[in-house]
Amino acid sequence: MKTAILGAGCVGGGLLHILDESGVAQAARIVEREGSLCTDPRVTHDINEVLRDGGIEAVAEAIGGVGAAYEYVLAALKCGKHVVTANKQLVAERGAELHAAAQKSGAALLFSAACGGGIPFLRELAAAARYDDVLSLGGILNGTANYILDLMQQGGSFEHALAEAQALGYAEADPSADIDGHDTARKCALGCAVAFGELPAQSSILMEGIRYITAEDVRELASRGLCCRLTAYAERREGGLFACVQPELFTLDSAPAAVRQNYNRAWYYLRYGGLFALTGQGAGALPTGGAMARDLCDIMAGTRTMLAQGCRSAAADGDKEYKYYIRVSGEGTEYTARISAREMHRRAKELRGQGKEVFFAALDE
Ligand code: HSE
């Protein structure tokens, strides 16, 4: 299948390398912005060359963001070209609209590379949602945050770990998306769309990142046999959709504690099938480029969508109770009884508004 790669940076470059070596699909053109240093003869700066080329059946979008990426993907779908994308922001913000455009033209829209890096999480989730009810889903979905938390647990500093994650190509262009939870929240939204047919607005997902964790927090938690991971959790109940991203505590002998470096561990829970968990590299050029190649193979095998008919935008307005570890500057640390997640997140914002530094992490026991 002749394919155009949009953006040959970290992930797009990984895909290009894989396609050129494996030949599973032909990387026929590469669309790069003006001024790009890429000297490959397949490079064009004009998306219309791709759109007008009837021999190109698919585009693989790895530009990122929702500017040119949105414009190009929508145009490609309208032309009937299949699309694979690793762009979670694009699908989280414009997924319902792009899905409708794909359905209208009969083109495929696959985005398994947008969540979990190389892990086929969304792919398996989409398959499971066809034969069972997904009751809940979540996990460690950001490689950069996990890399930082893992290195801090071994005594490293937050800043050093972040710089390494950036050098290794794990972090987003703006790493605050990794650290503050936006990236995990987008991936959580994609999971909800695939599993529940509801794409929650980003603003409705409860979100707390790892920006405020300190070496003292890590030591205090370790002294109680606990470690911290940044996790997503979502469930669909009669009371509504609940979706939350927050630091979460696990015992040192648990499966999430064993997730090291840039690895992710994504899970889903089925009414009949019970718990499924998938672990693998959650970020990086080759794992994520490989996931895009996987989606291209699925298109060649006939797959056209990962979303149920009628997937719609929604608000995640449910709630859930957790115990919390909280540290407030000048007030010390506290382990709470079970309290509402909404109330905890609201309280942290209020305290920060009063100039306090706050770190909190959930314990689901
Ligand atoms: N910045 C993301 C991460 C890349 O660290 O997980 C993969 O989605």
Coordinates of all heavy atoms in Angstrom, one line a residue, residues 88 113-114 117 141-145 170-172 178 183 187 264 282-284 288, ligand 1:
K88 N -2.5 11.9 19.7 CA -3.6 11.7 20.7 C -4.3 13.0 20.9 O -5.5 13.1 21.1 CB -3.1 11.2 22.0 CG -1.8 11.9 22.6 CD -0.6 11.0 22.4 CE 0.6 11.9 22.5 NZ 1.8 11.1 22.6
A113 N -1.6 3.8 17.7 CA -0.3 4.4 18.1 C -0.4 5.6 19.0 O 0.6 6.0 19.6 CB 0.5 4.8 16.9
A114 N -1.7 6.1 19.2 CA -1.8 7.3 20.0 C -1.9 7.0 21.5 O -1.9 8.0 22.3 CB -3.1 8.0 19.5
G117 N 2.1 3.8 23.1 CA 3.3 3.6 22.3 C 3.1 2.3 21.5 O 2.2 2.2 20.7
L141 N 0.0 5.3 31.4 CA -0.1 5.6 30.0 C 0.9 6.6 29.5 O 0.9 7.0 28.3 CB -1.5 6.1 29.6 CG -2.6 5.1 30.0 CD1 -4.0 5.7 29.6 CD2 -2.5 3.8 29.4
N142 N 1.8 7.1 30.3 CA 2.8 8.1 29.9 C 4.2 7.6 30.2 O 4.6 7.5 31.4 CB 2.5 9.5 30.5 CG 3.4 10.5 30.0 OD1 4.5 10.7 30.5 ND2 3.0 11.2 28.9
G143 N 5.0 7.4 29.2 CA 6.4 6.9 29.4 C 7.3 7.9 30.0 O 8.1 7.5 30.9
T144 N 7.1 9.2 29.7 CA 8.0 10.2 30.3 C 7.8 10.3 31.8 O 8.8 10.3 32.6 CB 7.7 11.6 29.6 OG1 8.0 11.4 28.2 CG2 8.6 12.6 30.2
A145 N 6.5 10.4 32.2 CA 6.2 10.5 33.7 C 6.7 9.2 34.4 O 7.3 9.3 35.5 CB 4.7 10.6 33.9
Y170 N 11.2 10.5 24.4 CA 10.0 10.1 25.0 C 9.0 11.2 25.2 O 7.8 11.1 25.1 CB 10.2 9.4 26.3 CG 11.2 8.2 26.3 CD1 11.9 7.9 27.5 CD2 11.3 7.4 25.2 CE1 12.8 6.8 27.5 CE2 12.1 6.3 25.2 CZ 12.9 6.0 26.4 OH 13.7 5.0 26.4
A171 N 9.6 12.4 25.5 CA 8.7 13.5 26.0 C 8.1 14.2 24.8 O 8.5 14.2 23.7 CB 9.6 14.5 26.7
E172 N 6.9 14.9 25.1 CA 6.3 15.7 24.1 C 7.1 17.0 23.9 O 8.0 17.3 24.7 CB 4.9 16.2 24.7 CG 3.9 15.0 24.9 CD 3.6 14.2 23.6 OE1 3.1 14.8 22.7 OE2 3.9 13.0 23.6
D178 N 3.4 16.0 29.5 CA 3.7 14.7 30.2 C 3.6 14.9 31.7 O 2.9 14.0 32.4 CB 5.1 14.3 29.8 CG 5.3 14.0 28.3 OD1 4.6 13.1 27.8 OD2 6.1 14.8 27.7
D183 N -1.3 14.6 28.6 CA -1.0 13.5 27.6 C -1.8 12.3 28.1 O -2.4 11.6 27.3 CB 0.5 13.3 27.5 CG 0.8 12.2 26.5 OD1 0.7 12.4 25.3 OD2 1.0 11.0 27.0
K187 N -5.0 10.3 26.3 CA -5.0 8.8 26.1 C -6.2 8.2 26.8 O -6.9 7.2 26.2 CB -3.7 8.2 26.5 CG -2.5 8.7 25.7 CD -1.2 8.4 26.3 CE -0.1 8.7 25.4 NZ 1.3 8.7 26.0
N264 N 4.8 1.3 29.7 CA 3.4 1.6 30.1 C 2.8 0.2 30.6 O 3.3 -0.8 30.2 CB 2.6 2.1 29.0 CG 2.8 3.6 28.6 OD1 2.1 4.1 27.8 ND2 3.8 4.2 29.2
G282 N 6.0 2.4 26.1 CA 4.9 3.4 25.9 C 5.3 4.6 25.2 O 4.5 5.5 24.9
A283 N 6.6 4.8 24.8 CA 7.0 6.0 24.1 C 8.3 5.6 23.4 O 9.0 4.7 23.7 CB 7.2 7.1 25.1
G284 N 8.6 6.5 22.4 CA 9.9 6.3 21.6 C 9.6 6.1 20.1 O 8.5 5.7 19.7
T288 N 6.6 3.4 18.8 CA 5.4 4.2 18.3 C 5.3 4.1 16.8 O 4.2 3.9 16.2 CB 5.4 5.6 18.8 OG1 5.7 5.6 20.2 CG2 4.0 6.3 18.6
Ligands
HSE1 N1 5.2 11.8 25.5 C1 4.5 10.5 25.4 C2 4.9 9.7 26.6 C3 4.9 9.9 24.1 O1 5.9 10.0 27.2 O2 4.2 8.7 26.8 C4 4.1 8.7 23.8 O3 2.7 8.9 23.7

